[in-house]
Amino acid sequence: LIETRDLWKTYVMGSEEIHALQGVSIQIMRGEYVAIMGPSGSGKSTLMNLIGCLDTPSRGSYLLNEKEVAAMNDDELARIRNQEIGFVFQTFNLLPRATALHNVELPLIYAGMPSKERQERARQALEKVELTSRASHRPNELSGGQRQRVAIARALVNDPSILLADEPTGNLDSKTGNEIMGVFERLHAAGNTIVLVTHEPEIAAYAHRSISIRDGLVEKDVRREAD
Amino acid sequence: LIETRDLWKTYVMGSEEIHALQGVSIQIMRGEYVAIMGPSGSGKSTLMNLIGCLDTPSRGSYLLNEKEVAAMNDDELARIRNQEIGFVFQTFNLLPRATALHNVELPLIYAGMPSKERQERARQALEKVELTSRASHRPNELSGGQRQRVAIARALVNDPSILLADEPTGNLDSKTGNEIMGVFERLHAAGNTIVLVTHEPEIAAYAHRSISIRDGLVEKDVRREAD
Ligand SMILES: Nc1ncnc2c1ncn2[C@@H]1O[C@H](COP(=O)(O)OP(=O)(O)OP(=O)(O)O)[C@@H](O)[C@H]1O
Ligand SMILES: Nc1ncnc2c1ncn2[C@@H]1O[C@H](COP(=O)(O)OP(=O)(O)OP(=O)(O)O)[C@@H](O)[C@H]1O
Ligand SMILES: [Mg+2]
Ligand SMILES: [Mg+2]
């Protein structure tokens, strides 16, 4: 499903080169539940942005469903980002002037869904993250963790086959965090693929496999015994 | 030092009233180290913004150094915010077009420090959070946790007597998070006051007292035995 081969991402700043990824080769099969861990600045978000087709690598290749992403045209990429992948950003990336409901509706607007069905689906997604009472609030009228949950609802609303979540519980207390992990578990149990960046071991424990990144390289890749 | 009496914060949205705080009365003495915990949306950031003189209550009173904050004029409030209080925002609040170094210098610019000394102090603050190699990066050229650490350096640069940190380790791996807690410990050991919002019990364990907030009210207030 997801295969990267010697993936590099280099940022050039003046005379300095920063290698955020220095040759990452990983394979993730359909239906896997993978946690990505590692120190701050080690390259986790960079890797997630590449897997999510939100950025292009400097070197190396990335195959999604056995197709080279670099060879896809914009329409194909947009279709994959909208229909197949749900992305929870580390910094939420909500539209500041839109309500929580409208933010969650966005992927369905791009998918061309009629407005009545769209609103109903968006309300259901907000209910899953327990934010029904905040549907009409704009992001600056929500708490930090509530914004994060709106970003999670938006990533789930289009029933993605691949969920990419970058630190989805960073601003949540453990009870709310566990409720969100319960929502992810149901998505995974339905046969979908989940890749989750986290720095919290108790959140990584929900995954079946844990990849550790350090300085832009894969340091460890451990599957948990089936329990 | 910090005393709130029956503090309320109410947001009016159309016909709806949201009581983010419903009568909070707490006392924090100089030199204490307090953790504030509670579910997402319970009112922690609202309370921190009031204690940090960044917002005004709807009802009740707030005394800082035994002076009623509501009776202070703008100059006095600005002096307190700049000289006495260091604030780490849950959402970092960095200037997007300024480098990490310039963001950390900001409180010193307001304090009127000459530029050579200012740059030196800002570099020292960045060194404390291990970001010397990223001083020339703008926020969008930094990882999530690196941005958080720039926000921490900016809050510490003016040697505040009160540090208010809202979820300072939400985006940090445990090793980096513990290093930041080490920096806070040194600030506290020098006799300063620390108030820390966190949802991570291992971070709250650094504090000597833990206040739990639920639905805008104080639910629990526990001091750890001196150890
Ligand atoms: N400007 C606003 N207008 C309306 N409601 C608001 C506004 N700001 C905050 N709220 C509401 O007030 C409540 C408390 O918000 P606050 O940010 O203090 O929570 P919190 O405890 O910091 O949560 P978190 O742990 O998720 O950061 C939330 O339910 C939120 O929806
Ligand atoms: N646009 C950019 N220009 C220059 N350097 C960048 C840019 N974006 C990221 N970096 C650098 O690349 C490295 C990896 O960043 P990345 O965001 O992937 O880290 P991360 O593992 O997600 O960290 P965190 O856990 O703190 O979120 C960091 O050291 C960062 O400073
Ligand atoms: Mg990141
Ligand atoms: Mg908050």
Side-chain angles (χ1 to χ4, degrees):
Chain A
L1 177 67
I2 289 169
E3 185 176 353
T4 74
R5 294 178 184 164
D6 197 29
L7 215 58
W8 281 71
K9 182 68 188 180
T10 301
Y11 295 106
V12 179
M13 297 184 64
S15 59
E16 201 193 351
E17 272 190 347
I18 291 180
H19 302 298
L21 295 180
Q22 306 194 61
V24 171
S25 301
I26 57 173
Q27 263 190 342
I28 298 174
M29 310 303 283
R30 190 170 288 288
E32 280 201 76
Y33 194 158
V34 182
I36 296 181
M37 304 187 81
S40 175
S42 54
K44 306 179 297 295
S45 295
T46 302
L47 178 58
M48 289 289 265
N49 292 341
L50 290 172
I51 291 175
C53 302
L54 296 166
D55 192 8
T56 51
S58 308
R59 258 169 61 188
S61 82
Y62 170 35
L63 293 103
L64 182 59
N65 290 325
E66 299 173 0
K67 275 177 73 177
E68 173 55 67
V69 171
M72 292 179 190
N73 63 28
D74 281 356
D75 285 353
E76 177 65 9
L77 279 173
R79 195 195 64 74
I80 287 178
R81 279 196 298 255
N82 183 242
Q83 305 279 334
E84 291 199 28
I85 298 175
F87 203 104
V88 184
F89 291 88
Q90 186 172 7
T91 48
F92 318 156
N93 283 8
L94 300 177
L95 291 188
R97 281 191 224 95
T99 64
L101 187 73
H102 194 67
N103 265 285
V104 175
E105 277 184 82
L106 271 184
L108 304 178
I109 294 174
Y110 287 133
M113 189 178 285
S115 90
K116 200 161 160 304
E117 186 190 348
R118 200 176 71 206
Q119 291 221 346
E120 183 47 35
R121 291 273 295 259
R123 282 190 191 285
Q124 282 172 8
L126 277 179
E127 204 180 322
K128 264 188 206 166
V129 298
E130 301 197 3
L131 278 182
T132 305
S133 67
R134 295 285 184 272
S136 62
H137 287 225
R138 286 189 298 275
N140 67 338
E141 296 167 338
L142 294 171
S143 78
Q146 290 170 342
R147 270 176 241 144
Q148 187 155 42
R149 286 184 279 159
V150 173
I152 291 167
R154 181 184 62 188
L156 294 174
V157 76
N158 213 359
D159 236 352
S161 55
I162 304 170
L163 177 70
L164 303 178
D166 195 344
E167 295 282 0
T169 63
N171 280 278
L172 302 178
D173 60 288
S174 36
K175 180 168 171 293
T176 310
N178 282 324
E179 284 164 7
I180 292 298
M181 295 316 287
V183 174
F184 290 1
E185 288 265 285
R186 283 191 288 282
L187 183 72
H188 178 245
N192 298 293
T193 311
I194 299 187
V195 183
L196 179 79
V197 169
T198 183
H199 67 274
E200 298 179 74
E202 53 278 16
I203 298 296
Y206 282 87
H208 301 171
R209 181 179 163 197
S210 180
I211 298 176
S212 297
I213 304 278
R214 179 178 292 277
D215 295 333
L217 288 165
V218 174
E219 190 184 40
K220 222 169 56 174
D221 186 348
V222 184
R223 278 159 212 280
R224 252 184 337 148
E225 291 315 307
D227 40 10
Chain B
L1 176 68
I2 290 169
E3 184 176 354
T4 73
R5 294 179 184 164
D6 197 31
L7 216 57
W8 282 70
K9 181 70 188 178
T10 301
Y11 296 107
V12 179
M13 296 183 65
S15 59
E16 200 191 354
E17 271 189 349
I18 292 180
H19 302 296
L21 295 182
Q22 307 194 58
V24 171
S25 301
I26 56 173
Q27 266 189 344
I28 298 174
M29 311 303 282
R30 189 170 289 288
E32 279 201 75
Y33 194 158
V34 182
I36 296 182
M37 303 188 78
S40 174
S42 56
K44 306 179 296 296
S45 295
T46 301
L47 178 58
M48 288 290 265
N49 291 340
L50 290 172
I51 292 175
C53 302
L54 296 165
D55 191 9
T56 51
S58 309
R59 261 167 62 186
S61 80
Y62 169 36
L63 294 102
L64 182 57
N65 291 324
E66 297 174 0
K67 277 179 73 176
E68 173 57 69
V69 171
M72 292 179 190
N73 62 31
D74 281 356
D75 285 352
E76 177 65 4
L77 279 173
R79 194 195 64 75
I80 287 177
R81 277 197 299 256
N82 182 244
Q83 305 280 334
E84 289 198 32
I85 297 176
F87 204 105
V88 184
F89 292 87
Q90 185 172 7
T91 48
F92 318 158
N93 284 7
L94 300 177
L95 291 188
R97 281 192 221 94
T99 63
L101 187 73
H102 193 66
N103 266 285
V104 175
E105 277 184 82
L106 270 185
L108 304 179
I109 294 174
Y110 287 133
M113 191 178 283
S115 90
K116 201 161 161 301
E117 187 191 346
R118 201 174 72 205
Q119 293 224 345
E120 184 46 38
R121 292 273 295 259
R123 282 190 191 286
Q124 283 172 8
L126 277 178
E127 204 180 323
K128 264 189 209 167
V129 297
E130 300 198 6
L131 278 183
T132 306
S133 67
R134 295 285 184 274
S136 63
H137 287 225
R138 288 190 298 277
N140 68 339
E141 296 166 341
L142 294 171
S143 78
Q146 289 171 341
R147 271 176 240 145
Q148 188 156 41
R149 286 184 279 161
V150 173
I152 292 167
R154 181 184 62 187
L156 295 174
V157 76
N158 212 0
D159 235 351
S161 56
I162 303 170
L163 177 70
L164 303 177
D166 195 345
E167 296 281 0
T169 62
N171 281 278
L172 302 178
D173 60 287
S174 31
K175 180 169 172 292
T176 311
N178 283 323
E179 284 164 9
I180 293 298
M181 296 315 287
V183 174
F184 289 1
E185 290 264 284
R186 284 191 287 284
L187 182 73
H188 177 246
N192 299 293
T193 310
I194 298 186
V195 184
L196 179 79
V197 169
T198 183
H199 67 273
E200 298 179 73
E202 53 279 14
I203 298 296
Y206 282 88
H208 299 169
R209 180 180 165 196
S210 179
I211 298 177
S212 297
I213 305 278
R214 178 178 290 275
D215 294 333
L217 289 165
V218 174
E219 189 185 42
K220 222 168 52 173
D221 187 347
V222 183
R223 278 159 212 281
R224 254 183 335 148
E225 293 314 307
D227 41 11

mmCIF file of all heavy atoms in Angstrom, chain A residues 11 13 18-20 38-47 90 166-167 197, chain B residues 134 137 140-146 149 171-173, ligand 2:
data_model
loop_
_atom_site.group_PDB
_atom_site.id
_atom_site.type_symbol
_atom_site.label_atom_id
_atom_site.label_comp_id
_atom_site.label_asym_id
_atom_site.label_seq_id
_atom_site.Cartn_x
_atom_site.Cartn_y
_atom_site.Cartn_z
ATOM 1 N N TYR A 11 16.008 20.680 3.013
ATOM 2 C CA TYR A 11 15.646 22.103 2.947
ATOM 3 C C TYR A 11 16.934 22.907 2.760
ATOM 4 O O TYR A 11 17.899 22.708 3.498
ATOM 5 C CB TYR A 11 14.974 22.557 4.245
ATOM 6 C CG TYR A 11 13.657 21.882 4.502
ATOM 7 C CD1 TYR A 11 13.537 20.889 5.470
ATOM 8 C CD2 TYR A 11 12.519 22.228 3.764
ATOM 9 C CE1 TYR A 11 12.325 20.260 5.708
ATOM 10 C CE2 TYR A 11 11.307 21.603 4.001
ATOM 11 C CZ TYR A 11 11.217 20.621 4.962
ATOM 12 O OH TYR A 11 10.020 20.003 5.197
ATOM 13 N N MET A 13 18.690 26.428 3.018
ATOM 14 C CA MET A 13 18.503 27.762 3.588
ATOM 15 C C MET A 13 19.813 28.510 3.426
ATOM 16 O O MET A 13 20.767 28.248 4.175
ATOM 17 C CB MET A 13 18.135 27.645 5.069
ATOM 18 C CG MET A 13 16.817 26.929 5.268
ATOM 19 S SD MET A 13 16.345 26.906 6.987
ATOM 20 C CE MET A 13 16.122 28.645 7.308
ATOM 21 N N ILE A 18 19.534 21.395 5.238
ATOM 22 C CA ILE A 18 19.007 20.621 6.366
ATOM 23 C C ILE A 18 18.337 19.373 5.812
ATOM 24 O O ILE A 18 17.408 19.442 5.027
ATOM 25 C CB ILE A 18 17.993 21.452 7.153
ATOM 26 C CG1 ILE A 18 18.742 22.581 7.859
ATOM 27 C CG2 ILE A 18 17.246 20.596 8.170
ATOM 28 C CD1 ILE A 18 17.882 23.477 8.674
ATOM 29 N N HIS A 19 18.874 18.220 6.186
ATOM 30 C CA HIS A 19 18.299 16.953 5.704
ATOM 31 C C HIS A 19 17.264 16.473 6.724
ATOM 32 O O HIS A 19 17.599 15.820 7.701
ATOM 33 C CB HIS A 19 19.412 15.926 5.500
ATOM 34 C CG HIS A 19 20.469 16.375 4.525
ATOM 35 N ND1 HIS A 19 20.183 16.654 3.198
ATOM 36 C CD2 HIS A 19 21.788 16.649 4.702
ATOM 37 C CE1 HIS A 19 21.284 17.056 2.580
ATOM 38 N NE2 HIS A 19 22.272 17.074 3.473
ATOM 39 N N ALA A 20 15.991 16.788 6.517
ATOM 40 C CA ALA A 20 14.945 16.382 7.452
ATOM 41 C C ALA A 20 14.744 14.864 7.376
ATOM 42 O O ALA A 20 14.454 14.226 8.365
ATOM 43 C CB ALA A 20 13.651 17.117 7.126
ATOM 44 N N GLY A 38 9.679 9.429 17.932
ATOM 45 C CA GLY A 38 11.031 9.961 17.751
ATOM 46 C C GLY A 38 11.140 11.330 18.364
ATOM 47 O O GLY A 38 10.116 11.973 18.622
ATOM 48 N N PRO A 39 12.363 11.802 18.597
ATOM 49 C CA PRO A 39 12.566 13.098 19.237
ATOM 50 C C PRO A 39 11.998 14.261 18.422
ATOM 51 O O PRO A 39 11.761 14.141 17.213
ATOM 52 C CB PRO A 39 14.091 13.218 19.324
ATOM 53 C CG PRO A 39 14.611 11.854 19.147
ATOM 54 C CD PRO A 39 13.613 11.132 18.293
ATOM 55 N N SER A 40 11.799 15.382 19.082
ATOM 56 C CA SER A 40 11.360 16.598 18.431
ATOM 57 C C SER A 40 12.368 16.991 17.360
ATOM 58 O O SER A 40 13.559 17.040 17.618
ATOM 59 C CB SER A 40 11.255 17.694 19.502
ATOM 60 O OG SER A 40 10.944 18.925 18.912
ATOM 61 N N GLY A 41 11.898 17.235 16.142
ATOM 62 C CA GLY A 41 12.788 17.636 15.052
ATOM 63 C C GLY A 41 13.409 16.481 14.304
ATOM 64 O O GLY A 41 14.243 16.677 13.432
ATOM 65 N N SER A 42 12.959 15.245 14.569
ATOM 66 C CA SER A 42 13.625 14.078 13.958
ATOM 67 C C SER A 42 13.113 13.775 12.552
ATOM 68 O O SER A 42 13.682 12.950 11.864
ATOM 69 C CB SER A 42 13.455 12.839 14.844
ATOM 70 O OG SER A 42 12.083 12.614 15.112
ATOM 71 N N GLY A 43 12.002 14.392 12.120
ATOM 72 C CA GLY A 43 11.545 14.172 10.750
ATOM 73 C C GLY A 43 10.183 13.508 10.630
ATOM 74 O O GLY A 43 9.750 13.152 9.536
ATOM 75 N N LYS A 44 9.454 13.342 11.736
ATOM 76 C CA LYS A 44 8.168 12.611 11.700
ATOM 77 C C LYS A 44 7.129 13.335 10.846
ATOM 78 O O LYS A 44 6.483 12.727 9.984
ATOM 79 C CB LYS A 44 7.637 12.446 13.132
ATOM 80 C CG LYS A 44 8.624 11.793 14.077
ATOM 81 C CD LYS A 44 8.097 11.658 15.489
ATOM 82 C CE LYS A 44 7.789 12.957 16.206
ATOM 83 N NZ LYS A 44 9.003 13.773 16.449
ATOM 84 N N SER A 45 6.925 14.637 11.077
ATOM 85 C CA SER A 45 5.910 15.370 10.297
ATOM 86 C C SER A 45 6.314 15.441 8.829
ATOM 87 O O SER A 45 5.462 15.350 7.941
ATOM 88 C CB SER A 45 5.740 16.785 10.855
ATOM 89 O OG SER A 45 5.220 16.748 12.159
ATOM 90 N N THR A 46 7.606 15.589 8.557
ATOM 91 C CA THR A 46 8.094 15.619 7.175
ATOM 92 C C THR A 46 7.714 14.315 6.476
ATOM 93 O O THR A 46 7.174 14.325 5.361
ATOM 94 C CB THR A 46 9.614 15.827 7.152
ATOM 95 O OG1 THR A 46 9.933 17.038 7.824
ATOM 96 C CG2 THR A 46 10.145 15.884 5.736
ATOM 97 N N LEU A 47 7.946 13.182 7.149
ATOM 98 C CA LEU A 47 7.596 11.877 6.576
ATOM 99 C C LEU A 47 6.087 11.766 6.367
ATOM 100 O O LEU A 47 5.619 11.323 5.309
ATOM 101 C CB LEU A 47 8.096 10.762 7.497
ATOM 102 C CG LEU A 47 7.778 9.336 7.074
ATOM 103 C CD1 LEU A 47 8.345 9.005 5.694
ATOM 104 C CD2 LEU A 47 8.289 8.331 8.103
ATOM 105 N N GLN A 90 -0.594 18.349 12.781
ATOM 106 C CA GLN A 90 -0.078 18.647 14.127
ATOM 107 C C GLN A 90 -0.540 20.035 14.573
ATOM 108 O O GLN A 90 -0.738 20.296 15.748
ATOM 109 C CB GLN A 90 1.458 18.591 14.084
ATOM 110 C CG GLN A 90 2.129 18.739 15.416
ATOM 111 C CD GLN A 90 3.633 18.469 15.329
ATOM 112 O OE1 GLN A 90 4.223 18.292 14.270
ATOM 113 N NE2 GLN A 90 4.268 18.407 16.481
ATOM 114 N N ASP A 166 -1.067 13.241 12.899
ATOM 115 C CA ASP A 166 0.206 13.754 13.428
ATOM 116 C C ASP A 166 -0.025 14.332 14.814
ATOM 117 O O ASP A 166 -0.537 15.435 14.955
ATOM 118 C CB ASP A 166 0.749 14.829 12.462
ATOM 119 C CG ASP A 166 2.223 15.143 12.729
ATOM 120 O OD1 ASP A 166 2.723 14.773 13.811
ATOM 121 O OD2 ASP A 166 2.851 15.779 11.864
ATOM 122 N N GLU A 167 0.351 13.589 15.851
ATOM 123 C CA GLU A 167 0.166 14.007 17.255
ATOM 124 C C GLU A 167 -1.310 14.355 17.551
ATOM 125 O O GLU A 167 -1.589 15.449 18.024
ATOM 126 C CB GLU A 167 1.023 15.227 17.574
ATOM 127 C CG GLU A 167 2.522 15.037 17.512
ATOM 128 C CD GLU A 167 3.121 14.328 18.721
ATOM 129 O OE1 GLU A 167 2.383 13.959 19.637
ATOM 130 O OE2 GLU A 167 4.345 14.100 18.725
ATOM 131 N N VAL A 197 1.523 9.588 14.371
ATOM 132 C CA VAL A 197 2.731 10.096 15.033
ATOM 133 C C VAL A 197 2.333 10.437 16.461
ATOM 134 O O VAL A 197 1.289 11.059 16.701
ATOM 135 C CB VAL A 197 3.247 11.377 14.348
ATOM 136 C CG1 VAL A 197 4.323 12.050 15.202
ATOM 137 C CG2 VAL A 197 3.804 11.065 12.973
ATOM 138 N N ARG B 134 18.897 26.549 15.209
ATOM 139 C CA ARG B 134 17.693 26.940 14.452
ATOM 140 C C ARG B 134 17.366 28.422 14.663
ATOM 141 O O ARG B 134 16.260 28.859 14.357
ATOM 142 C CB ARG B 134 16.478 26.093 14.902
ATOM 143 C CG ARG B 134 16.619 24.605 14.570
ATOM 144 C CD ARG B 134 16.405 24.365 13.098
ATOM 145 N NE ARG B 134 16.419 22.954 12.708
ATOM 146 C CZ ARG B 134 17.509 22.268 12.415
ATOM 147 N NH1 ARG B 134 18.698 22.833 12.496
ATOM 148 N NH2 ARG B 134 17.412 20.989 12.043
ATOM 149 N N HIS B 137 15.812 30.303 11.737
ATOM 150 C CA HIS B 137 14.616 29.753 11.081
ATOM 151 C C HIS B 137 13.378 30.530 11.485
ATOM 152 O O HIS B 137 13.233 30.918 12.637
ATOM 153 C CB HIS B 137 14.413 28.282 11.499
ATOM 154 C CG HIS B 137 15.381 27.339 10.880
ATOM 155 N ND1 HIS B 137 14.992 26.141 10.333
ATOM 156 C CD2 HIS B 137 16.722 27.403 10.717
ATOM 157 C CE1 HIS B 137 16.062 25.498 9.879
ATOM 158 N NE2 HIS B 137 17.120 26.252 10.100
ATOM 159 N N ASN B 140 7.636 28.605 10.278
ATOM 160 C CA ASN B 140 7.234 27.545 9.329
ATOM 161 C C ASN B 140 8.427 26.745 8.818
ATOM 162 O O ASN B 140 8.275 25.848 7.986
ATOM 163 C CB ASN B 140 6.428 28.127 8.165
ATOM 164 C CG ASN B 140 7.282 29.010 7.278
ATOM 165 O OD1 ASN B 140 8.330 29.497 7.698
ATOM 166 N ND2 ASN B 140 6.861 29.218 6.042
ATOM 167 N N GLU B 141 9.609 27.066 9.309
ATOM 168 C CA GLU B 141 10.803 26.273 8.966
ATOM 169 C C GLU B 141 11.262 25.485 10.188
ATOM 170 O O GLU B 141 12.412 25.059 10.293
ATOM 171 C CB GLU B 141 11.925 27.211 8.491
ATOM 172 C CG GLU B 141 11.563 27.931 7.200
ATOM 173 C CD GLU B 141 12.481 29.100 6.888
ATOM 174 O OE1 GLU B 141 13.179 29.598 7.807
ATOM 175 O OE2 GLU B 141 12.496 29.527 5.717
ATOM 176 N N LEU B 142 10.359 25.316 11.133
ATOM 177 C CA LEU B 142 10.654 24.574 12.357
ATOM 178 C C LEU B 142 9.630 23.463 12.543
ATOM 179 O O LEU B 142 8.499 23.561 12.068
ATOM 180 C CB LEU B 142 10.575 25.511 13.575
ATOM 181 C CG LEU B 142 11.618 26.618 13.664
ATOM 182 C CD1 LEU B 142 11.250 27.571 14.796
ATOM 183 C CD2 LEU B 142 13.005 26.049 13.889
ATOM 184 N N SER B 143 10.008 22.412 13.301
ATOM 185 C CA SER B 143 9.033 21.370 13.636
ATOM 186 C C SER B 143 8.092 21.890 14.724
ATOM 187 O O SER B 143 8.377 22.911 15.344
ATOM 188 C CB SER B 143 9.767 20.124 14.150
ATOM 189 O OG SER B 143 10.176 20.301 15.491
ATOM 190 N N GLY B 144 7.001 21.172 14.942
ATOM 191 C CA GLY B 144 6.009 21.574 15.946
ATOM 192 C C GLY B 144 6.635 21.756 17.322
ATOM 193 O O GLY B 144 6.443 22.770 18.001
ATOM 194 N N GLY B 145 7.411 20.792 17.735
ATOM 195 C CA GLY B 145 8.053 20.857 19.048
ATOM 196 C C GLY B 145 9.108 21.944 19.114
ATOM 197 O O GLY B 145 9.340 22.548 20.172
ATOM 198 N N GLN B 146 9.770 22.222 17.985
ATOM 199 C CA GLN B 146 10.777 23.295 17.973
ATOM 200 C C GLN B 146 10.086 24.643 18.144
ATOM 201 O O GLN B 146 10.576 25.525 18.845
ATOM 202 C CB GLN B 146 11.575 23.236 16.667
ATOM 203 C CG GLN B 146 12.514 22.028 16.616
ATOM 204 C CD GLN B 146 13.141 21.826 15.247
ATOM 205 O OE1 GLN B 146 12.655 22.328 14.245
ATOM 206 N NE2 GLN B 146 14.219 21.054 15.191
ATOM 207 N N ARG B 149 9.339 25.123 21.690
ATOM 208 C CA ARG B 149 10.520 25.479 22.478
ATOM 209 C C ARG B 149 10.934 26.929 22.269
ATOM 210 O O ARG B 149 11.462 27.566 23.176
ATOM 211 C CB ARG B 149 11.659 24.512 22.148
ATOM 212 C CG ARG B 149 11.419 23.133 22.771
ATOM 213 C CD ARG B 149 12.582 22.203 22.529
ATOM 214 N NE ARG B 149 12.548 21.595 21.223
ATOM 215 C CZ ARG B 149 13.605 21.050 20.630
ATOM 216 N NH1 ARG B 149 14.781 21.090 21.206
ATOM 217 N NH2 ARG B 149 13.491 20.467 19.449
ATOM 218 N N ASN B 171 3.831 18.924 22.469
ATOM 219 C CA ASN B 171 4.393 18.482 21.193
ATOM 220 C C ASN B 171 5.806 17.944 21.339
ATOM 221 O O ASN B 171 6.538 17.850 20.353
ATOM 222 C CB ASN B 171 4.435 19.671 20.211
ATOM 223 C CG ASN B 171 3.077 19.924 19.592
ATOM 224 O OD1 ASN B 171 2.689 19.280 18.649
ATOM 225 N ND2 ASN B 171 2.354 20.868 20.154
ATOM 226 N N LEU B 172 6.213 17.609 22.559
ATOM 227 C CA LEU B 172 7.593 17.178 22.771
ATOM 228 C C LEU B 172 7.662 15.709 23.166
ATOM 229 O O LEU B 172 6.839 15.218 23.938
ATOM 230 C CB LEU B 172 8.236 18.026 23.878
ATOM 231 C CG LEU B 172 8.264 19.539 23.628
ATOM 232 C CD1 LEU B 172 8.877 20.265 24.810
ATOM 233 C CD2 LEU B 172 9.001 19.871 22.343
ATOM 234 N N ASP B 173 8.684 15.019 22.656
ATOM 235 C CA ASP B 173 8.931 13.641 23.083
ATOM 236 C C ASP B 173 9.385 13.678 24.544
ATOM 237 O O ASP B 173 9.775 14.733 25.047
ATOM 238 C CB ASP B 173 10.034 13.017 22.215
ATOM 239 C CG ASP B 173 11.339 13.776 22.329
ATOM 240 O OD1 ASP B 173 11.423 14.893 21.772
ATOM 241 O OD2 ASP B 173 12.256 13.277 23.012
HETATM 242 N N1 LIG C 2 10.578 24.541 5.823
HETATM 243 C C1 LIG C 2 11.675 24.129 6.496
HETATM 244 N N2 LIG C 2 12.863 24.739 6.282
HETATM 245 C C2 LIG C 2 13.948 24.355 6.974
HETATM 246 N N3 LIG C 2 13.981 23.384 7.890
HETATM 247 C C3 LIG C 2 12.824 22.739 8.135
HETATM 248 C C4 LIG C 2 11.612 23.077 7.476
HETATM 249 N N4 LIG C 2 10.622 22.288 7.961
HETATM 250 C C5 LIG C 2 11.193 21.470 8.867
HETATM 251 N N5 LIG C 2 12.512 21.750 8.985
HETATM 252 C C6 LIG C 2 13.482 21.060 9.855
HETATM 253 O O1 LIG C 2 13.406 19.665 9.546
HETATM 254 C C7 LIG C 2 13.508 18.908 10.746
HETATM 255 C C8 LIG C 2 12.346 17.916 10.827
HETATM 256 O O2 LIG C 2 11.135 18.601 11.009
HETATM 257 P P1 LIG C 2 9.805 17.809 11.342
HETATM 258 O O3 LIG C 2 8.703 18.802 11.437
HETATM 259 O O4 LIG C 2 9.589 16.685 10.398
HETATM 260 O O5 LIG C 2 10.106 17.172 12.788
HETATM 261 P P2 LIG C 2 9.175 16.356 13.775
HETATM 262 O O6 LIG C 2 9.793 15.033 13.998
HETATM 263 O O7 LIG C 2 7.751 16.372 13.307
HETATM 264 O O8 LIG C 2 9.288 17.180 15.117
HETATM 265 P P3 LIG C 2 8.194 17.492 16.266
HETATM 266 O O9 LIG C 2 8.047 16.239 17.069
HETATM 267 O O10 LIG C 2 8.857 18.609 17.040
HETATM 268 O O11 LIG C 2 6.915 17.909 15.639
HETATM 269 C C9 LIG C 2 13.525 19.900 11.916
HETATM 270 O O12 LIG C 2 14.799 19.970 12.475
HETATM 271 C C10 LIG C 2 13.130 21.223 11.322
HETATM 272 O O13 LIG C 2 13.857 22.302 11.888
#
